[in-house]
Amino acid sequence: MKTTNAPTAAPTDSPANAPHPAPQPVDIARILSGFDEPWAPRRIARVNDYEVKAAKLRGAFVWHAHEDTDELFLVVSGTLTIRLRDGDADGGAADTEVVLGPGQLYVVPRGVEHCPVADEEVSILLFEPTGTVNTGTAGGDRTREPVDA
């Protein structure tokens, strides 16, 4: 009997009845050790209409929102602060912070303006629908299309 330790991680656009490649585990540590550029996500797997992306973060990103989707952050190493912009009773803006360490995740709800901040290098996994723009509504020079790992 043949066994594997992980589900198929390779992207597939083949019909449902086509043969699937042999399952291969995704070595997250190896992928993360293979690049240093912050805020430049690497696509490591697809799950239905979602992409799993590995990224390294340093410094503050841009304030942005994703109007049509939630965004899941899973910290692999380091400490990530996610600043959330909340409207107060007077219509102004107040910030809330969510601090995540290794093994912790947080889902930013769709439409919520947020700004990830990493005082030191942080490695994360992101789970987002295929085609999600990393800078959401903000755009700008930090916008990056994920590359395959």
Side-chain angles (χ1 to χ4, degrees):
M1 180 168 154
K2 185 176 178 182
T3 61
T4 62
N5 293 330
T8 300
T12 180
D13 295 322
S14 61
N17 61 351
H20 293 283
Q24 297 297 316
V26 175
D27 187 333
I28 296 167
R30 182 189 58 76
I31 290 169
L32 287 166
S33 70
F35 69 97
D36 290 319
E37 184 182 4
W39 310 108
R42 304 302 200 262
R43 186 182 305 110
I44 63 172
R46 291 180 195 247
V47 180
N48 298 317
D49 296 333
Y50 277 74
E51 294 178 331
V52 180
K53 302 170 192 172
K56 291 187 177 178
L57 314 180
R58 268 192 304 273
F61 199 52
V62 296
W63 280 98
H64 66 286
H66 302 281
E67 295 301 327
D68 298 323
T69 186
D70 300 338
E71 184 174 27
L72 186 149
F73 291 82
L74 171 62
V75 174
V76 175
S77 66
T79 301
L80 176 64
T81 300
I82 301 175
R83 294 182 180 149
L84 305 168
R85 191 155 286 156
D86 303 315
D88 63 20
D90 297 324
D95 295 344
T96 300
E97 291 188 347
V98 177
V99 179
L100 304 172
Q104 294 183 311
L105 68 81
Y106 182 76
V107 177
V108 176
R110 75 183 65 205
V112 173
E113 194 173 16
H114 59 286
C115 179
V117 178
D119 292 333
E120 296 182 8
E121 184 176 271
V122 175
S123 294
I124 65 166
L125 297 180
L126 295 162
F127 295 79
E128 304 171 313
T130 299
T132 299
V133 176
N134 67 328
T135 53
T137 56
D141 63 355
R142 286 258 176 110
T143 302
R144 296 278 192 302
E145 179 69 26
V147 296
D148 291 329

